[in-house]
């Protein structure tokens, strides 16, 4: 099966349509990712078909949640090689996307990708979530915060929640152990001003992999003491 068929048929299984133009964009994205990955650590996945399935399709699964809407202002926290933010922006052209990452080399890579894919309305932020979550230009400015494979849920919530405006959502892509992480995160959910909405099970097309998407709604302002200073959330998560 060709890469084009994989993304087209895989997304069809998730009830997501994709244009030929955007299939071409994902082909370019894959090429740039593999080229840059020879010189810096962006992904452990180097098989082309697995990139399509485990990075592109997996990232796009959260469109199905229905919580990410056209014209939303969205921040992808600890975006790494751009997942899920860039795939979402490819398929939802009116999104206003902010990509936040602590490593400047990755930010340079993300700029290269978005330039080659001709994606506008993308802001690139080099820094730590703990610092920018305190910045009034970013704090509680977003309809959606998202993250994928960044940290355990209690830690991730402290990184991401400060960016979300009241009434907005945290859309988080997680592996098969989400139930345990949700239990560990009960206090963080309450303290940071969130409410659990939904857990969505995802059967990743062409694999036996099961992932989860957790949806949390921001119901009140996050206390000003959060996020704590850099390094503190990961060392002593809210429990």
């Amino acid at each position: 099966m060709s890469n084009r068929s994989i993304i087209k048929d895989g997304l069809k299984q998730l009830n997501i349509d994709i244009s030929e133009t955007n299939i071409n964009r994902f082909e370019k994205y894959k090429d740039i990712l593999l080229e840059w990955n020879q010189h810096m650590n962006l992904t452990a996945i180097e098989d082309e078909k697995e990139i399509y399935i485990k990075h592109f399709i997996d990232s796009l699964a959260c469109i199905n949640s229905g919580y990410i809407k056209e014209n939303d202002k969205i921040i992808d926290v600890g975006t790494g090689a751009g997942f899920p933010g860039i795939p979402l922006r490819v398929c939802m052209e009116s999104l206003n996307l902010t990509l936040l990452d602590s490593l400047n080399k990755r930010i340079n890579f993300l700029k290269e990708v978005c330039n080659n894919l001709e994606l506008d309305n993308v802001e690139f932020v080099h820094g730590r979530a703990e610092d920018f979550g305190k910045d009034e230009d970013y704090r509680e400015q977003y309809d959606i915060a998202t993250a994928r494979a960044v940290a355990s849920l209690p830690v991730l919530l402290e990184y991401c929640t400060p960016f979300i405006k009241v009434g907005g959502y945290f859309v988080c892509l997680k592996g098969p152990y989400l139930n345990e992480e949700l239990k560990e995160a009960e206090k963080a959910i309450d303290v940071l001003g969130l409410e659990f909405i939904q857990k969505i099970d995802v059967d990743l097309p062409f694999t036996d992999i099961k992932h989860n998407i957790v949806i949390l709604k921001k119901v009140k302002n996050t206390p000003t003491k959060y996020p704590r200073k850099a390094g503190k959330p990961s060392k002593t998560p809210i429990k």
Side-chain angles (χ1 to χ4, degrees):
M1 186 180 280
S2 71
N3 292 334
R4 300 180 78 83
S5 297
I6 283 174
I7 195 159
K8 196 168 187 177
D9 294 348
L11 291 178
K12 195 172 184 181
Q13 289 181 41
L14 298 175
N15 299 310
I16 299 168
D17 290 325
I18 186 168
S19 67
E20 289 298 317
T21 299
N22 283 340
I23 291 174
N24 291 337
R25 282 181 165 139
F26 281 114
E27 188 75 18
K28 281 185 189 173
Y29 192 174
K30 176 263 299 175
D31 289 342
I32 298 165
L33 176 63
L34 288 173
E35 181 188 340
W36 280 62
N37 204 54
Q38 294 176 30
H39 311 292
M40 58 183 288
N41 182 25
L42 289 165
T43 177
I45 299 170
E46 295 190 319
D47 177 81
E48 290 189 10
K49 288 180 172 52
E50 291 209 350
I51 287 171
Y52 274 82
I53 296 165
K54 294 180 180 177
H55 284 325
F56 299 159
I57 295 173
D58 187 51
S59 292
L60 291 168
C62 55
I63 290 177
N64 253 2
S65 71
Y67 292 92
I68 302 173
K69 303 281 200 303
E70 293 287 355
N71 297 303
D72 271 353
K73 191 174 180 185
I74 181 170
I75 184 167
D76 184 8
V77 178
T79 185
F83 308 121
I86 292 179
L88 290 173
R89 173 59 190 78
V90 167
C91 288
M92 299 181 75
E93 295 190 4
S94 65
L95 285 182
N96 289 282
L97 174 65
T98 297
L99 298 170
L100 172 69
D101 199 87
S102 61
L103 191 64
N104 199 43
K105 281 198 277 190
R106 283 198 290 260
I107 292 292
N108 291 334
F109 163 77
L110 298 169
K111 288 178 179 176
E112 176 82 1
V113 170
C114 290
N115 183 49
N116 275 272
L117 272 52
E118 299 180 337
L119 302 179
D120 57 5
N121 296 331
V122 182
E123 180 183 5
F124 308 90
V125 179
H126 171 225
R128 296 185 69 129
E130 299 100 318
D131 297 327
F132 280 89
K134 293 274 194 188
D135 187 323
E136 63 182 18
D137 290 335
Y138 295 88
R139 186 178 180 88
E140 300 193 331
Q141 297 297 311
Y142 292 88
D143 301 296
I144 302 286
T146 189
R148 176 178 180 259
V150 175
S152 68
L153 194 55
V155 177
L156 206 48
L157 291 175
E158 188 169 349
Y159 289 158
C160 296
T161 308
F163 293 106
I164 307 167
K165 61 176 72 168
V166 174
Y169 294 92
F170 181 41
V171 178
C172 179
L173 291 83
K174 276 286 179 185
Y177 304 109
L178 178 60
N179 287 340
E180 292 93 325
E181 289 197 48
L182 278 168
K183 283 178 188 161
E184 290 175 6
E186 281 177 0
K187 185 170 182 187
I189 289 169
D190 180 55
V191 165
L192 295 167
L194 295 165
E195 181 182 276
F196 173 77
I197 299 295
Q198 190 178 3
K199 177 177 82 101
I200 300 167
D201 299 322
V202 177
D203 293 321
L204 197 59
F206 312 118
T207 74
D208 57 2
I209 296 170
K210 294 184 182 296
H211 281 177
N212 293 289
I213 299 167
V214 61
I215 311 293
L216 298 158
K217 185 175 183 178
K218 181 87 167 269
V219 293
K220 60 186 178 185
N221 297 104
T222 299
T224 54
K225 70 176 280 190
Y226 299 105
R228 291 166 292 166
K229 65 181 183 180
K232 191 83 171 171
S234 58
K235 285 179 185 168
T236 55
I238 301 168
K239 292 285 180 73

